[in-house]
Coordinates of all heavy atoms in Angstrom, one line a residue:
M18 N -19.8 3.0 68.9 CA -19.2 1.9 68.1 C -20.0 1.6 66.9 O -19.5 1.2 65.9 CB -19.1 0.7 69.0 CG -18.4 -0.4 68.3 SD -17.7 -1.3 69.6 CE -16.4 -2.0 69.3
T19 N -21.3 1.9 66.9 CA -22.1 1.8 65.7 C -21.7 2.7 64.6 O -21.7 2.3 63.4 CB -23.6 2.0 66.1 OG1 -23.7 3.3 66.6 CG2 -24.1 1.0 67.0
I20 N -21.2 3.9 65.0 CA -20.8 4.8 63.9 C -19.5 4.3 63.3 O -19.3 4.3 62.1 CB -20.5 6.2 64.5 CG1 -21.9 6.8 65.0 CG2 -19.9 7.1 63.5 CD1 -21.7 8.1 65.7
E21 N -18.6 3.8 64.1 CA -17.4 3.2 63.6 C -17.6 2.0 62.7 O -17.0 1.8 61.6 CB -16.5 2.8 64.7 CG -16.0 4.0 65.5 CD -15.2 3.6 66.7 OE1 -14.9 2.4 66.9 OE2 -14.8 4.5 67.4
L22 N -18.6 1.2 63.1 CA -18.9 0.0 62.3 C -19.6 0.4 60.9 O -19.2 -0.1 59.9 CB -19.9 -0.9 63.0 CG -20.3 -2.2 62.4 CD1 -19.0 -3.0 62.1 CD2 -21.3 -3.0 63.2
T23 N -20.4 1.4 60.9 CA -21.0 1.9 59.7 C -20.0 2.5 58.8 O -20.0 2.4 57.5 CB -22.2 2.9 59.9 OG1 -21.7 3.9 60.7 CG2 -23.3 2.2 60.6
I24 N -19.1 3.3 59.4 CA -18.0 3.9 58.6 C -17.1 2.8 58.0 O -16.7 2.9 56.8 CB -17.2 4.9 59.5 CG1 -18.0 6.1 59.8 CG2 -15.9 5.3 58.7 CD1 -17.4 7.0 60.8
L25 N -16.8 1.8 58.8 CA -16.0 0.7 58.3 C -16.7 0.0 57.2 O -16.1 -0.3 56.1 CB -15.7 -0.2 59.5 CG -14.8 -1.4 59.1 CD1 -13.4 -1.0 58.7 CD2 -14.6 -2.4 60.3
L26 N -18.0 -0.3 57.3 CA -18.7 -1.0 56.3 C -18.8 -0.1 55.0 O -18.7 -0.6 53.9 CB -20.1 -1.3 56.8 CG -20.3 -2.6 57.6 CD1 -21.7 -2.7 58.1 CD2 -20.0 -3.8 56.7
S27 N -18.9 1.2 55.2 CA -19.0 2.1 54.0 C -17.6 2.1 53.3 O -17.6 2.1 52.1 CB -19.3 3.5 54.5 OG -20.6 3.6 55.1
I28 N -16.6 2.1 54.0 CA -15.2 2.1 53.4 C -15.0 0.8 52.7 O -14.5 0.8 51.5 CB -14.1 2.4 54.5 CG1 -14.2 3.8 55.0 CG2 -12.8 2.1 53.9 CD1 -13.3 4.1 56.2
V29 N -15.4 -0.3 53.3 CA -15.2 -1.6 52.6 C -16.1 -1.7 51.4 O -15.7 -2.1 50.3 CB -15.5 -2.7 53.6 CG1 -15.7 -4.1 52.9 CG2 -14.5 -2.8 54.7
S30 N -17.3 -1.2 51.5 CA -18.2 -1.2 50.3 C -17.7 -0.3 49.2 O -17.7 -0.7 48.0 CB -19.6 -0.7 50.7 OG -20.2 -1.5 51.7
V31 N -17.2 0.9 49.5 CA -16.7 1.7 48.5 C -15.4 1.1 47.8 O -15.2 1.1 46.6 CB -16.4 3.1 49.0 CG1 -15.6 4.0 48.1 CG2 -17.7 3.9 49.4
S32 N -14.6 0.5 48.7 CA -13.4 -0.1 48.2 C -13.7 -1.3 47.3 O -13.1 -1.4 46.2 CB -12.5 -0.6 49.3 OG -12.1 0.5 50.2
A33 N -14.7 -2.1 47.6 CA -15.1 -3.2 46.8 C -15.7 -2.7 45.5 O -15.4 -3.3 44.4 CB -16.1 -4.1 47.6
A34 N -16.5 -1.7 45.6 CA -17.1 -1.1 44.4 C -16.0 -0.6 43.4 O -16.1 -0.8 42.2 CB -18.1 0.0 44.7
V35 N -15.1 0.1 43.9 CA -14.0 0.6 43.1 C -13.2 -0.5 42.5 O -12.8 -0.5 41.3 CB -13.1 1.6 43.9 CG1 -11.8 1.9 43.2 CG2 -13.8 2.9 44.3
Y36 N -12.9 -1.5 43.3 CA -12.1 -2.7 42.8 C -12.8 -3.4 41.7 O -12.3 -3.6 40.6 CB -11.8 -3.6 44.0 CG -11.2 -4.9 43.5 CD1 -9.8 -4.9 43.1 CD2 -11.9 -6.1 43.4 CE1 -9.2 -6.1 42.7 CE2 -11.3 -7.2 43.0 CZ -10.0 -7.3 42.6 OH -9.4 -8.4 42.2
F37 N -14.1 -3.7 41.9 CA -14.8 -4.4 40.9 C -15.1 -3.6 39.7 O -15.1 -4.1 38.5 CB -16.2 -5.0 41.5 CG -16.0 -6.1 42.4 CD1 -16.4 -6.0 43.8 CD2 -15.4 -7.3 42.0 CE1 -16.2 -7.0 44.7 CE2 -15.2 -8.3 42.9 CZ -15.6 -8.2 44.2
G38 N -15.3 -2.3 39.9 CA -15.4 -1.4 38.7 C -14.2 -1.3 37.9 O -14.3 -1.4 36.6
L39 N -13.0 -1.2 38.5 CA -11.8 -1.2 37.8 C -11.5 -2.5 37.1 O -11.0 -2.6 35.9 CB -10.6 -0.8 38.7 CG -10.6 0.7 39.1 CD1 -9.4 0.9 40.1 CD2 -10.4 1.6 37.9
S40 N -11.8 -3.6 37.8 CA -11.5 -4.9 37.1 C -12.5 -5.1 35.9 O -12.1 -5.7 34.9 CB -11.7 -6.1 38.2 OG -13.0 -6.2 38.6
G41 N -13.7 -4.6 36.0 CA -14.6 -4.7 34.9 C -14.1 -3.9 33.7 O -14.2 -4.3 32.6
V42 N -13.6 -2.7 34.0 CA -13.0 -1.9 32.9 C -11.9 -2.6 32.3 O -11.7 -2.6 31.0 CB -12.7 -0.5 33.5 CG1 -11.8 0.3 32.5 CG2 -13.9 0.3 33.9
R43 N -11.0 -3.1 33.1 CA -9.8 -3.9 32.5 C -10.2 -5.1 31.7 O -9.7 -5.3 30.6 CB -8.9 -4.3 33.7 CG -7.9 -3.2 34.1 CD -6.9 -3.8 35.1 NE -7.2 -3.2 36.3 CZ -7.1 -3.8 37.5 NH1 -6.8 -5.0 37.6 NH2 -7.5 -3.2 38.6
R44 N -11.2 -5.8 32.2 CA -11.7 -7.0 31.4 C -12.3 -6.5 30.1 O -12.1 -7.1 29.1 CB -12.8 -7.7 32.3 CG -13.3 -9.0 31.6 CD -14.3 -9.8 32.5 NE -15.5 -8.9 32.7 CZ -15.9 -8.5 33.9 NH1 -15.2 -8.8 35.0 NH2 -16.9 -7.8 34.0
D45 N -13.1 -5.5 30.1 CA -13.7 -4.9 28.9 C -12.6 -4.5 27.9 O -12.7 -4.7 26.7 CB -14.7 -3.8 29.2 CG -16.0 -4.3 29.9 OD1 -16.2 -5.5 29.8 OD2 -16.7 -3.4 30.4
Q46 N -11.6 -3.8 28.4 CA -10.5 -3.4 27.6 C -9.8 -4.5 27.0 O -9.4 -4.5 25.8 CB -9.5 -2.5 28.4 CG -8.4 -1.9 27.6 CD -8.9 -1.0 26.5 OE1 -9.8 -0.2 26.8 NE2 -8.2 -1.0 25.4
K47 N -9.6 -5.6 27.8 CA -8.9 -6.8 27.3 C -9.7 -7.4 26.2 O -9.2 -7.8 25.1 CB -8.7 -7.8 28.4 CG -7.7 -8.9 28.0 CD -7.6 -9.9 29.2 CE -6.8 -9.3 30.3 NZ -6.5 -10.2 31.4
N48 N -11.0 -7.5 26.4 CA -11.9 -8.1 25.3 C -11.9 -7.3 24.1 O -11.9 -7.8 22.9 CB -13.3 -8.3 25.9 CG -13.5 -9.4 26.9 OD1 -12.6 -10.3 26.9 ND2 -14.5 -9.3 27.7
D49 N -11.9 -5.9 24.2 CA -11.9 -5.0 23.1 C -10.6 -5.2 22.3 O -10.6 -5.2 21.1 CB -12.1 -3.6 23.5 CG -13.5 -3.3 24.0 OD1 -14.4 -4.1 23.7 OD2 -13.6 -2.2 24.6
D50 N -9.5 -5.3 23.0 CA -8.2 -5.5 22.4 C -8.1 -6.8 21.6 O -7.6 -6.9 20.5 CB -7.1 -5.5 23.4 CG -6.8 -4.1 24.0 OD1 -7.3 -3.1 23.4 OD2 -6.1 -4.0 25.1
M51 N -8.7 -7.9 22.2 CA -8.7 -9.2 21.5 C -9.6 -9.1 20.2 O -9.2 -9.7 19.2 CB -9.3 -10.3 22.5 CG -8.3 -10.7 23.5 SD -8.9 -11.8 24.8 CE -9.8 -13.0 23.9
Q52 N -10.7 -8.4 20.3 CA -11.6 -8.3 19.1 C -10.9 -7.5 18.0 O -10.9 -7.8 16.9 CB -12.9 -7.7 19.5 CG -13.8 -8.6 20.3 CD -15.1 -7.9 20.7 OE1 -15.2 -6.7 20.6 NE2 -16.1 -8.6 21.2
E53 N -10.2 -6.4 18.5 CA -9.5 -5.6 17.5 C -8.4 -6.4 16.8 O -8.1 -6.3 15.6 CB -8.9 -4.4 18.2 CG -8.3 -3.4 17.2 CD -7.9 -2.1 17.9 OE1 -8.4 -1.8 19.0 OE2 -7.0 -1.4 17.4
A54 N -7.6 -7.2 17.6 CA -6.6 -8.0 17.1 C -7.1 -9.0 16.1 O -6.5 -9.3 15.0 CB -5.8 -8.7 18.2
A55 N -8.3 -9.6 16.4 CA -8.9 -10.6 15.5 C -9.3 -9.9 14.2 O -9.1 -10.4 13.1 CB -10.1 -11.2 16.1
Q56 N -9.8 -8.7 14.3 CA -10.2 -8.0 13.1 C -9.0 -7.6 12.2 O -9.0 -7.7 11.0 CB -11.0 -6.7 13.4 CG -12.4 -7.0 13.9 CD -13.1 -5.8 14.4 OE1 -12.5 -4.7 14.6 NE2 -14.4 -5.9 14.7
L57 N -7.9 -7.2 12.9 CA -6.7 -6.8 12.1 C -6.1 -8.0 11.5 O -5.6 -8.0 10.3 CB -5.7 -6.2 13.1 CG -6.0 -4.7 13.5 CD1 -5.0 -4.3 14.6 CD2 -6.0 -3.8 12.3
T58 N -6.2 -9.2 12.2 CA -5.7 -10.4 11.6 C -6.4 -10.8 10.3 O -5.9 -11.2 9.3 CB -5.7 -11.5 12.6 OG1 -5.0 -11.2 13.8 CG2 -5.2 -12.8 12.0
T59 N -7.8 -10.6 10.4 CA -8.6 -10.9 9.3 C -8.3 -10.0 8.1 O -8.2 -10.5 6.9 CB -10.1 -10.7 9.6 OG1 -10.4 -11.6 10.7 CG2 -11.0 -11.1 8.5
V60 N -8.1 -8.7 8.4 CA -7.7 -7.8 7.3 C -6.4 -8.1 6.7 O -6.2 -8.1 5.5 CB -7.7 -6.3 7.9 CG1 -7.1 -5.4 6.9 CG2 -9.1 -5.9 8.2
L61 N -5.4 -8.5 7.5 CA -4.1 -8.9 7.0 C -4.2 -10.1 6.1 O -3.5 -10.2 5.1 CB -3.1 -9.1 8.2 CG -2.7 -7.8 8.9 CD1 -1.8 -8.2 10.1 CD2 -1.9 -6.9 8.0
V62 N -5.0 -11.1 6.5 CA -5.1 -12.3 5.7 C -5.7 -12.0 4.4 O -5.3 -12.5 3.3 CB -5.9 -13.4 6.5 CG1 -6.4 -14.5 5.6 CG2 -5.1 -13.9 7.7
K63 N -6.8 -11.1 4.4 CA -7.4 -10.8 3.2 C -6.5 -10.0 2.2 O -6.4 -10.2 1.0 CB -8.7 -9.9 3.4 CG -9.8 -10.8 4.0 CD -11.0 -10.0 4.2 CE -12.1 -10.9 4.8 NZ -13.4 -10.1 5.0
L64 N -5.7 -9.1 2.8 CA -4.7 -8.4 2.0 C -3.6 -9.3 1.4 O -3.2 -9.1 0.3 CB -4.0 -7.3 2.9 CG -4.9 -6.0 3.2 CD1 -4.1 -5.1 4.1 CD2 -5.2 -5.3 1.9
E65 N -3.2 -10.3 2.2 CA -2.3 -11.3 1.7 C -2.9 -12.1 0.6 O -2.2 -12.3 -0.4 CB -1.8 -12.2 2.8 CG -0.6 -13.0 2.5 CD -0.1 -13.8 3.7 OE1 0.0 -13.2 4.8 OE2 0.2 -15.0 3.6
N66 N -4.1 -12.4 0.7 CA -4.8 -13.2 -0.4 C -4.9 -12.3 -1.7 O -4.7 -12.8 -2.8 CB -6.2 -13.6 0.0 CG -6.1 -14.8 1.0 OD1 -5.1 -15.5 1.1 ND2 -7.2 -14.9 1.8
I67 N -5.2 -11.0 -1.5 CA -5.2 -10.1 -2.6 C -3.8 -10.0 -3.3 O -3.7 -10.0 -4.5 CB -5.7 -8.7 -2.2 CG1 -7.2 -8.8 -1.8 CG2 -5.5 -7.7 -3.3 CD1 -7.8 -7.6 -1.2
N68 N -2.8 -9.9 -2.5 CA -1.4 -9.8 -3.0 C -1.1 -11.1 -3.8 O -0.5 -11.0 -4.8 CB -0.5 -9.6 -1.8 CG 0.9 -9.4 -2.3 OD1 1.2 -8.7 -3.3 ND2 1.9 -9.8 -1.5
N69 N -1.5 -12.3 -3.3 CA -1.2 -13.5 -4.0 C -1.9 -13.5 -5.3 O -1.4 -14.0 -6.3 CB -1.6 -14.7 -3.1 CG -0.7 -14.9 -1.9 OD1 0.4 -14.5 -1.9 ND2 -1.2 -15.6 -1.0
G70 N -3.2 -13.0 -5.3 CA -3.9 -12.9 -6.6 C -3.2 -12.0 -7.6 O -3.2 -12.3 -8.8
I71 N -2.8 -10.9 -7.1 CA -2.1 -9.9 -8.0 C -0.8 -10.6 -8.6 O -0.5 -10.4 -9.8 CB -1.8 -8.6 -7.3 CG1 -3.1 -7.9 -7.0 CG2 -0.8 -7.8 -8.0 CD1 -2.9 -6.7 -6.1
N72 N -0.1 -11.3 -7.7 CA 1.2 -12.0 -8.2 C 0.8 -13.0 -9.3 O 1.6 -13.1 -10.3 CB 1.9 -12.6 -7.0 CG 2.5 -11.6 -6.1 OD1 2.8 -10.5 -6.5 ND2 2.8 -12.0 -4.9
K73 N -0.3 -13.8 -9.1 CA -0.6 -14.7 -10.1 C -1.0 -14.0 -11.4 O -0.6 -14.5 -12.5 CB -1.8 -15.6 -9.6 CG -1.5 -16.6 -8.6 CD -2.7 -17.3 -8.1 CE -2.4 -18.3 -7.0 NZ -3.6 -19.0 -6.5
I74 N -1.7 -12.9 -11.3 CA -2.1 -12.2 -12.5 C -0.9 -11.7 -13.2 O -0.8 -11.7 -14.5 CB -3.1 -11.0 -12.2 CG1 -4.4 -11.6 -11.7 CG2 -3.3 -10.1 -13.3 CD1 -5.4 -10.6 -11.2
E75 N 0.1 -11.1 -12.5 CA 1.3 -10.6 -13.1 C 2.1 -11.7 -13.8 O 2.6 -11.6 -14.9 CB 2.2 -10.0 -12.0 CG 1.7 -8.6 -11.5 CD 2.5 -8.0 -10.4 OE1 3.3 -8.8 -9.8 OE2 2.4 -6.8 -10.2
S76 N 2.1 -12.9 -13.2 CA 2.8 -14.1 -13.8 C 2.1 -14.4 -15.1 O 2.8 -14.7 -16.1 CB 2.8 -15.2 -12.8 OG 3.3 -16.4 -13.4
K77 N 0.8 -14.5 -15.1 CA 0.1 -14.8 -16.3 C 0.3 -13.8 -17.4 O 0.4 -14.1 -18.6 CB -1.4 -15.0 -16.0 CG -1.7 -16.3 -15.2 CD -3.2 -16.4 -14.9 CE -3.5 -17.7 -14.1 NZ -4.9 -17.8 -13.8
M78 N 0.3 -12.5 -17.0 CA 0.6 -11.4 -17.9 C 1.9 -11.5 -18.6 O 2.1 -11.3 -19.8 CB 0.4 -10.1 -17.2 CG -1.0 -9.7 -16.9 SD -2.0 -9.4 -18.4 CE -1.2 -8.0 -19.1
D79 N 2.9 -11.9 -17.8 CA 4.3 -12.1 -18.3 C 4.3 -13.2 -19.3 O 4.9 -13.1 -20.4 CB 5.3 -12.4 -17.2 CG 5.6 -11.2 -16.3 OD1 5.3 -10.1 -16.8 OD2 6.1 -11.4 -15.2
R80 N 3.6 -14.3 -19.0 CA 3.5 -15.4 -19.9 C 2.8 -15.0 -21.2 O 3.2 -15.4 -22.3 CB 2.8 -16.6 -19.3 CG 2.9 -17.9 -20.1 CD 2.4 -19.1 -19.4 NE 0.9 -19.0 -19.3 CZ 0.2 -19.1 -18.2 NH1 0.8 -19.3 -17.1 NH2 -1.1 -18.9 -18.2
V81 N 1.7 -14.3 -21.1 CA 1.0 -13.9 -22.3 C 1.8 -12.9 -23.1 O 1.8 -13.0 -24.4 CB -0.4 -13.2 -21.9 CG1 -1.0 -12.4 -23.0 CG2 -1.3 -14.2 -21.3
E82 N 2.6 -12.0 -22.5 CA 3.5 -11.2 -23.3 C 4.5 -11.9 -24.0 O 4.8 -11.6 -25.2 CB 4.1 -10.1 -22.3 CG 3.2 -9.1 -21.8 CD 3.8 -8.1 -20.8 OE1 5.0 -8.3 -20.5 OE2 3.1 -7.2 -20.3
S83 N 5.1 -12.9 -23.4 CA 6.1 -13.7 -24.1 C 5.5 -14.5 -25.2 O 6.2 -14.6 -26.3 CB 6.9 -14.6 -23.1 OG 6.0 -15.6 -22.6
E84 N 4.3 -15.1 -25.0 CA 3.7 -15.8 -26.1 C 3.3 -14.9 -27.2 O 3.5 -15.2 -28.4 CB 2.4 -16.5 -25.6 CG 2.7 -17.7 -24.7 CD 1.4 -18.3 -24.1 OE1 0.3 -17.7 -24.4 OE2 1.5 -19.2 -23.3
T85 N 2.9 -13.7 -26.9 CA 2.6 -12.7 -28.0 C 3.8 -12.3 -28.8 O 3.8 -12.2 -30.0 CB 1.9 -11.4 -27.3 OG1 0.8 -11.8 -26.6 CG2 1.6 -10.4 -28.4
R86 N 4.9 -12.1 -28.0 CA 6.2 -11.8 -28.7 C 6.6 -12.9 -29.6 O 7.0 -12.7 -30.8 CB 7.3 -11.5 -27.6 CG 8.5 -10.8 -28.1 CD 9.4 -10.4 -27.0 NE 8.8 -9.7 -25.9 CZ 8.6 -10.1 -24.7 NH1 9.1 -11.3 -24.3 NH2 8.0 -9.4 -23.7
A87 N 6.5 -14.2 -29.2 CA 6.9 -15.3 -30.0 C 6.0 -15.4 -31.2 O 6.4 -15.7 -32.3 CB 6.8 -16.6 -29.2
N88 N 4.7 -15.2 -31.0 CA 3.7 -15.3 -32.2 C 4.0 -14.1 -33.2 O 3.9 -14.3 -34.4 CB 2.3 -15.2 -31.7 CG 1.8 -16.4 -31.0 OD1 2.4 -17.5 -31.2 ND2 0.8 -16.3 -30.2
S89 N 4.4 -13.0 -32.7 CA 4.8 -11.9 -33.5 C 6.0 -12.2 -34.4 O 6.0 -12.0 -35.6 CB 5.0 -10.6 -32.7 OG 5.4 -9.6 -33.5
E90 N 7.0 -12.8 -33.8 CA 8.1 -13.3 -34.5 C 7.8 -14.3 -35.6 O 8.3 -14.3 -36.7 CB 9.2 -13.8 -33.5 CG 9.8 -12.7 -32.6 CD 10.7 -13.3 -31.5 OE1 10.9 -14.5 -31.5 OE2 11.2 -12.5 -30.7
K91 N 6.9 -15.3 -35.2 CA 6.5 -16.3 -36.2 C 5.8 -15.6 -37.3 O 5.9 -16.0 -38.5 CB 5.6 -17.3 -35.5 CG 6.3 -18.2 -34.6 CD 5.4 -19.2 -33.9 CE 6.0 -20.1 -32.9 NZ 5.1 -21.0 -32.2
L92 N 4.9 -14.7 -37.0 CA 4.1 -14.0 -38.1 C 5.1 -13.2 -39.0 O 4.9 -13.3 -40.3 CB 3.1 -13.0 -37.5 CG 2.3 -12.2 -38.4 CD1 1.4 -13.2 -39.2 CD2 1.4 -11.2 -37.7
I93 N 6.1 -12.6 -38.5 CA 7.0 -11.9 -39.4 C 7.7 -12.9 -40.3 O 7.9 -12.6 -41.5 CB 8.1 -11.1 -38.5 CG1 7.4 -10.0 -37.8 CG2 9.3 -10.7 -39.3 CD1 8.2 -9.3 -36.8
K94 N 8.1 -14.0 -39.8 CA 8.8 -15.1 -40.6 C 7.8 -15.6 -41.7 O 8.2 -15.8 -42.9 CB 9.3 -16.2 -39.8 CG 10.5 -15.9 -38.9 CD 10.9 -17.0 -38.0 CE 12.1 -16.6 -37.1 NZ 12.5 -17.7 -36.3
V95 N 6.6 -15.8 -41.3 CA 5.6 -16.3 -42.3 C 5.4 -15.2 -43.4 O 5.3 -15.6 -44.6 CB 4.3 -16.6 -41.6 CG1 3.1 -16.9 -42.6 CG2 4.4 -17.9 -40.8
E96 N 5.3 -14.0 -43.0 CA 5.1 -12.9 -44.0 C 6.3 -12.8 -44.9 O 6.1 -12.6 -46.1 CB 4.9 -11.5 -43.3 CG 3.5 -11.4 -42.6 CD 3.4 -10.1 -41.8 OE1 4.4 -9.5 -41.5 OE2 2.2 -9.8 -41.5
E97 N 7.5 -12.9 -44.4 CA 8.7 -12.9 -45.3 C 8.7 -14.1 -46.2 O 9.0 -14.0 -47.4 CB 10.0 -13.0 -44.4 CG 10.2 -11.7 -43.6 CD 11.4 -11.8 -42.7 OE1 11.9 -12.9 -42.5 OE2 11.7 -10.8 -42.0
S98 N 8.3 -15.3 -45.7 CA 8.3 -16.5 -46.6 C 7.2 -16.3 -47.6 O 7.4 -16.7 -48.8 CB 8.0 -17.7 -45.7 OG 7.8 -18.8 -46.5
T99 N 6.1 -15.7 -47.3 CA 5.0 -15.5 -48.3 C 5.5 -14.5 -49.4 O 5.2 -14.7 -50.5 CB 3.7 -15.0 -47.6 OG1 3.4 -15.9 -46.6 CG2 2.6 -14.8 -48.5
K100 N 6.2 -13.5 -48.9 CA 6.7 -12.5 -49.9 C 7.6 -13.2 -50.8 O 7.6 -12.9 -52.1 CB 7.4 -11.4 -49.1 CG 7.7 -10.2 -50.0 CD 8.4 -9.1 -49.2 CE 7.6 -8.5 -48.1 NZ 8.3 -7.4 -47.4
Q101 N 8.5 -14.0 -50.3 CA 9.5 -14.7 -51.2 C 8.7 -15.7 -52.2 O 9.1 -15.8 -53.3 CB 10.5 -15.5 -50.3 CG 11.4 -14.6 -49.6 CD 12.4 -13.9 -50.5 OE1 12.8 -14.3 -51.6 NE2 12.7 -12.6 -50.2
A102 N 7.7 -16.3 -51.6 CA 6.9 -17.3 -52.5 C 6.3 -16.5 -53.6 O 6.2 -17.0 -54.8 CB 5.9 -18.0 -51.7
H103 N 5.7 -15.3 -53.3 CA 5.1 -14.5 -54.4 C 6.1 -14.1 -55.4 O 5.8 -14.1 -56.6 CB 4.4 -13.3 -53.8 CG 3.0 -13.6 -53.2 ND1 1.9 -14.0 -53.9 CD2 2.6 -13.6 -51.9 CE1 0.9 -14.2 -53.1 NE2 1.3 -14.0 -51.9
K104 N 7.3 -13.7 -55.0 CA 8.3 -13.3 -55.9 C 8.6 -14.5 -56.8 O 8.8 -14.3 -58.1 CB 9.6 -12.8 -55.2 CG 9.4 -11.5 -54.6 CD 10.7 -11.1 -53.9 CE 10.6 -9.7 -53.3 NZ 11.9 -9.3 -52.6
R105 N 8.8 -15.7 -56.3 CA 9.1 -16.8 -57.1 C 8.0 -17.2 -58.0 O 8.2 -17.5 -59.2 CB 9.5 -18.1 -56.2 CG 10.8 -17.9 -55.5 CD 11.2 -19.3 -54.8 NE 10.2 -19.7 -53.8 CZ 10.3 -19.5 -52.5 NH1 11.3 -18.8 -52.0 NH2 9.4 -19.9 -51.7
I106 N 6.8 -17.1 -57.6 CA 5.6 -17.4 -58.5 C 5.6 -16.3 -59.6 O 5.3 -16.7 -60.8 CB 4.3 -17.3 -57.7 CG1 4.2 -18.5 -56.7 CG2 3.1 -17.3 -58.6 CD1 3.1 -18.5 -55.7
D107 N 5.8 -15.0 -59.3 CA 5.8 -14.0 -60.3 C 6.9 -14.3 -61.4 O 6.7 -14.1 -62.6 CB 6.0 -12.6 -59.7 CG 4.8 -12.1 -59.0 OD1 3.7 -12.7 -59.2 OD2 4.9 -11.2 -58.1
E108 N 8.1 -14.8 -60.9 CA 9.2 -15.1 -61.8 C 8.8 -16.2 -62.7 O 9.1 -16.2 -63.9 CB 10.5 -15.4 -61.0 CG 11.1 -14.2 -60.4 CD 12.3 -14.6 -59.5 OE1 12.7 -15.8 -59.5 OE2 12.8 -13.7 -58.8
I109 N 8.2 -17.2 -62.1 CA 7.8 -18.4 -63.0 C 6.7 -18.0 -64.0 O 6.8 -18.4 -65.1 CB 7.2 -19.5 -62.0 CG1 8.4 -20.1 -61.2 CG2 6.5 -20.6 -62.8 CD1 7.9 -21.1 -60.1
V110 N 5.8 -17.1 -63.6 CA 4.7 -16.7 -64.5 C 5.4 -15.8 -65.6 O 5.0 -16.0 -66.8 CB 3.7 -15.8 -63.7 CG1 2.7 -15.1 -64.7 CG2 2.8 -16.7 -62.8
Q111 N 6.4 -15.0 -65.3 CA 7.0 -14.2 -66.3 C 7.8 -15.0 -67.3 O 7.9 -14.7 -68.5 CB 8.0 -13.2 -65.7 CG 7.3 -12.0 -65.0 CD 8.2 -11.0 -64.3 OE1 9.4 -11.3 -64.3 NE2 7.7 -9.9 -63.9
K112 N 8.3 -16.1 -66.9 CA 9.1 -17.0 -67.8 C 8.1 -17.8 -68.7 O 8.5 -18.4 -69.6 CB 9.9 -18.0 -67.0 CG 11.1 -17.3 -66.3 CD 11.9 -18.3 -65.6 CE 13.1 -17.7 -64.9 NZ 13.9 -18.7 -64.1
G113 N 6.8 -17.8 -68.3 CA 5.8 -18.5 -69.1 C 5.7 -19.9 -68.8 O 5.1 -20.7 -69.5
V114 N 6.3 -20.4 -67.7 CA 6.1 -21.8 -67.3 C 4.7 -22.1 -66.9 O 4.2 -23.1 -67.2 CB 7.1 -22.1 -66.2 CG1 6.9 -23.5 -65.7 CG2 8.6 -21.8 -66.6
I115 N 4.1 -21.1 -66.2 CA 2.7 -21.3 -65.8 C 1.8 -20.2 -66.5 O 2.2 -19.1 -66.6 CB 2.6 -21.1 -64.3 CG1 3.4 -22.2 -63.5 CG2 1.1 -21.2 -63.8 CD1 3.3 -22.0 -62.0
D116 N 0.7 -20.6 -67.0 CA -0.2 -19.7 -67.6 C -0.8 -18.8 -66.5 O -1.3 -19.2 -65.5 CB -1.3 -20.5 -68.3 CG -2.2 -19.6 -69.2 OD1 -1.8 -18.4 -69.3 OD2 -3.2 -20.0 -69.6
S117 N -0.7 -17.5 -66.7 CA -1.1 -16.5 -65.7 C -2.6 -16.4 -65.5 O -3.1 -15.9 -64.5 CB -0.5 -15.1 -66.0 OG -1.1 -14.7 -67.2
E118 N -3.4 -16.9 -66.4 CA -4.8 -16.9 -66.3 C -5.4 -18.0 -65.5 O -6.6 -18.0 -65.1 CB -5.4 -16.8 -67.7 CG -5.1 -15.5 -68.4 CD -5.8 -15.5 -69.7 OE1 -6.8 -16.3 -70.0 OE2 -5.4 -14.7 -70.6
N119 N -4.6 -19.0 -65.2 CA -5.1 -20.2 -64.4 C -5.1 -19.9 -63.0 O -4.7 -19.5 -62.1 CB -4.4 -21.4 -64.7 CG -4.8 -22.0 -66.1 OD1 -5.9 -21.7 -66.6 ND2 -4.0 -22.8 -66.7

């Protein structure tokens, strides 16, 4: 009966060792999965922040382009007006109304 008891104790011990070993592996795997999920979440949040920054920059670039276009149009009008003013001044000088040396 002592042999049977030792065999029974050995079987129970091996079974307990296998059970606790497998549960430890599962627990470690679960912890690893949670850490990986946390890291992926962090990466996704950072990528989203980068995307928001890029969208803001694109918005500002669009505004700068429209302001530049408007300023260019204003400059063209000012140049045309200046050209017309020079023509009128030249006509007045040719008529002798204004002394050209002043």
Side-chain angles (χ1 to χ4, degrees):
M18 189 150 208
T19 57
I20 295 176
E21 293 174 5
L22 184 60
T23 55
I24 292 175
L25 182 62
L26 278 174
S27 297
I28 291 173
V29 169
S30 298
V31 168
S32 299
V35 168
Y36 172 76
F37 288 119
L39 289 176
S40 67
V42 167
R43 276 189 249 141
R44 184 179 61 243
D45 290 343
Q46 182 65 36
K47 191 182 291 185
N48 287 339
D49 290 345
D50 290 345
M51 287 173 43
Q52 287 177 350
E53 186 176 339
Q56 289 174 346
L57 287 174
T58 302
T59 302
V60 168
L61 288 174
V62 167
K63 288 181 179 181
L64 284 174
E65 192 171 317
N66 288 339
I67 290 170
N68 187 35
N69 289 339
I71 289 172
N72 289 338
K73 287 179 184 178
I74 291 170
E75 287 176 346
S76 172
K77 288 180 182 179
M78 287 295 294
D79 289 341
R80 191 175 68 232
V81 167
E82 286 176 359
S83 67
E84 288 175 0
T85 302
R86 199 173 306 115
N88 287 338
S89 177
E90 292 171 2
K91 288 178 184 177
L92 179 62
I93 290 170
K94 289 178 182 178
V95 168
E96 287 175 344
E97 289 173 356
S98 176
T99 303
K100 192 184 294 184
Q101 290 295 324
H103 280 291
K104 285 181 183 178
R105 286 191 300 266
I106 291 170
D107 289 342
E108 288 174 5
I109 292 172
V110 168
Q111 284 178 355
K112 290 180 181 178
V114 174
I115 299 178
D116 189 8
S117 63
E118 292 183 17
N119 286 338

